[in-house]
Amino acid sequence: MRKGKFHRVIAIMSVLALVFTMAACGGNNNGNNASSGGNSSSGNSGKEANASTDGGNATATNDAEPENTAAAANPDEPGWKSDTSPITFDWYLNFSWFPNKWGVDPTSQYITKKTGVNINFIVPAGNENEKLNTMIASGSLPDFITLGWYEDGVKKMIEGGMVEPLNKLADQYDPYFFKVADPAKTSWYTQPDGNFYGYPNASSSPKDFEKFSGDYTSNQTFLVRKDMYEALGKPDMRTKDGFLNALKMAKEKFPEVNGQPLIPLGLHEFTETGNYSLQDYLQNFLAVPYEKDGKLYDRRTDAEYISWLKTFRKANEMGLLAKDIFIDKRPQMEEKIAQGRYFAMLYQRSDFAAQENALFAKDPNSVYIAVDGPADEAQDPPTLAGPGISGWTVTLISKNVKDKARAIKFLSYLISEEGNKDLYMGIPGETYDEVDGKATFKPEVLDLMNKDRSAFDKKYGASFTFWMLMDTNMNLQWAPPSVEPSKQMEDWTKGKTKSFSQFDQIDPTGNSEEGIAHTKIDQTWGKTLPKLILSKSDADFDKLWNEFLDKRKDAGDEKVQAYRQQKYEENVAKLKEFLK
């Protein structure tokens, strides 16, 4: 995920979580008091598809009072059951890569028939931030909005009064929400005004991590094409010399893949704020600490990290970095992964599951496998990001929502065990059966999921095809055992996965002095990073590096770091409370 999140992440996707915490808070729980968060690193990237779907028409207006008010609401009964008349919600996803439409698969059709709710997904055609900022500026937000928790737009919408407090909607229209919402998550997202406005997916509380850490995997992996790696004698790529030598040998031995040039190394895409692979991913492989003695550590100036950035610069000087990696976006990278054109990748494994399955179907030896990648001089094991309490994305309900009651009731359904089971397992008797008391995918369904994820999404729509409010802890009770080719990558990360929740939401966002400074610094880094890798010598690298440090200081980095330290300390205290 973070963003690198994860993303997503899935960056990302795939951030994992645990078994759900059930809390009976009645209808008078307004959420726990907690400090507001900011932003951190992580993430996933996200084509304006204006995905019109078949379904009912919404006629309620924003000011209309629904028939089922708080007086009639039963806190012990799912609110959505009180009204299953047809309604269509517009749902914006801030991820341009999202390809699916609601209502074309059996699972989403089943949920619409069950709840009466149809969804029209809207995704940006190009730059996500431009699309979201335009909607915010015009005040034209759709009913639901899902975006990375780390994105600046979250704070803009909250501070601009553009989204509904979920706790107040639940109090008034659906107190059952408090039965199914995790109080640790609602507390984590509670703002200084005592309200929480978003609910996360793929989120794991500290207690979750304590209980299930042995099952957790990370999306952060260093990957090599299996057949090529083995043909080269499985070279050690943990050291700088070993890393460069392996890339060199791969290019010499395999100059072409099916008539196209080999790309020795693949990375996440370069964006206006940098590159996940060359930031958190690389730092985590090098086990660069986030803090020392209670003080946040400046990971970007870590000597090991800078030395490895210079190694990537050397790789470019040696002709081992293709120009593709500086300009390609996710669709282009997915195409090249499917062609097996990369030798190695520092990449989020869940982002290319469909391509990996396609490679496996053609030739199991042509897949990508996780191996030990860049390491520090002491060869310490990596500290890979596991699931955190912030999750991957948050979903908010707009002030423009056409029916407040139906919106919060549908959100309650989606985060409940019933909703998560429907979204993950699909339709009882059609996509799964109960076998010895456990929901189990039918053989043909599971077979397609393991072989062709894209075809599975369109044919069945289950297994969190619609991941906006997935609880990746809850689904552990239904998830089938991993199979190859994903199993090898997942297993490699086990035991190396850490929780970094205390470092989430500490970066300033919005229009505050610190937020503006942080944005400027991130954008400066986004321009500097590719120049560092493309610099002609270490001396040129050092010159660019020092210029960046000066620009960072001039932009107000001292105030940014003071803000981050304060938020980090607040997070530490808050997380301790969750463990009681």
Side-chain angles (χ1 to χ4, degrees), residues 461-510:
S463 186
F464 292 142
T465 295
F466 305 101
W467 39 257
M468 297 80 211
L469 286 159
M470 65 180 179
D471 189 319
T472 44
N473 303 319
M474 195 184 296
N475 93 293
L476 292 175
Q477 63 186 302
W478 311 306
S482 295
V483 297
E484 298 301 354
S486 61
K487 185 178 185 301
Q488 188 277 337
M489 293 186 287
E490 292 177 12
D491 289 347
W492 183 87
T493 68
K494 289 182 177 179
K496 305 177 181 73
T497 303
K498 310 293 180 184
S499 174
F500 296 127
S501 288
Q502 64 270 40
F503 305 105
D504 285 353
Q505 304 197 39
I506 64 173
D507 290 341
T509 60

Side-chain angles (χ1 to χ4, degrees), residues 198-215:
Y199 198 84
N201 74 351
S203 166
S204 293
S205 69
K207 286 187 177 180
D208 290 336
F209 209 97
E210 274 191 346
K211 187 175 182 180
F212 294 102
S213 61
D215 296 322

Side-chain angles (χ1 to χ4, degrees), residues 154-348:
V154 176
K155 191 170 185 179
K156 287 181 180 178
M157 288 186 286
I158 293 174
E159 291 183 344
M162 305 179 73
V163 289
E164 294 281 355
L166 299 184
N167 50 296
K168 290 187 176 181
L169 290 182
D171 274 335
Q172 185 173 1
Y173 303 111
D174 188 24
Y176 185 75
F177 173 90
F178 298 110
K179 288 278 189 181
V180 295
D182 187 329
K185 297 172 187 176
T186 59
S187 177
W188 181 255
Y189 276 100
T190 296
Q191 302 296 309
D193 63 3
N195 299 314
F196 59 88
Y197 297 82
Y199 198 84
N201 74 351
S203 166
S204 293
S205 69
K207 286 187 177 180
D208 290 336
F209 209 97
E210 274 191 346
K211 187 175 182 180
F212 294 102
S213 61
D215 296 322
Y216 284 149
T217 59
S218 176
N219 272 332
Q220 298 180 342
T221 45
F222 181 71
L223 306 150
V224 291
R225 190 170 140 166
K226 184 175 183 290
D227 50 2
M228 294 182 181
Y229 184 68
E230 292 176 350
L232 297 176
K234 299 181 179 181
D236 184 351
M237 301 183 71
R238 292 174 298 171
T239 67
K240 301 177 186 69
D241 288 343
F243 179 83
L244 292 172
N245 189 49
L247 296 183
K248 183 173 180 290
M249 288 193 300
K251 185 177 181 180
E252 291 173 349
K253 190 173 181 67
F254 306 102
E256 291 187 345
V257 178
N258 295 324
Q260 297 178 301
L262 175 80
I263 303 173
L265 181 68
L267 305 169
H268 279 274
E269 67 180 85
F270 282 84
T271 70
E272 63 179 8
T273 59
N275 185 301
Y276 302 145
S277 300
L278 297 176
Q279 292 165 198
D280 285 356
Y281 281 40
L282 179 57
Q283 290 164 354
N284 289 350
F285 266 85
L286 302 178
V288 178
Y290 280 84
E291 60 84 28
K292 290 184 177 182
D293 301 322
K295 297 296 182 183
L296 289 176
Y297 179 63
D298 189 353
R299 304 180 89 208
R300 196 172 277 167
T301 60
D302 181 81
E304 292 268 18
Y305 174 60
I306 295 173
S307 179
W308 266 95
L309 285 184
K310 288 185 174 180
T311 301
F312 281 85
R313 187 211 69 76
K314 184 67 174 178
N316 183 65
E317 181 184 311
M318 296 170 64
L320 302 175
L321 298 186
K323 288 183 170 55
D324 308 51
I325 68 173
F326 295 98
I327 57 176
D328 281 351
K329 300 300 181 184
R330 179 162 166 169
Q332 290 77 40
M333 288 184 282
E334 288 179 346
E335 180 181 1
K336 290 169 183 176
I337 292 171
Q339 295 167 347
R341 289 183 60 192
Y342 298 102
F343 164 62
M345 294 189 291
L346 186 55
Y347 205 72
Q348 179 164 267

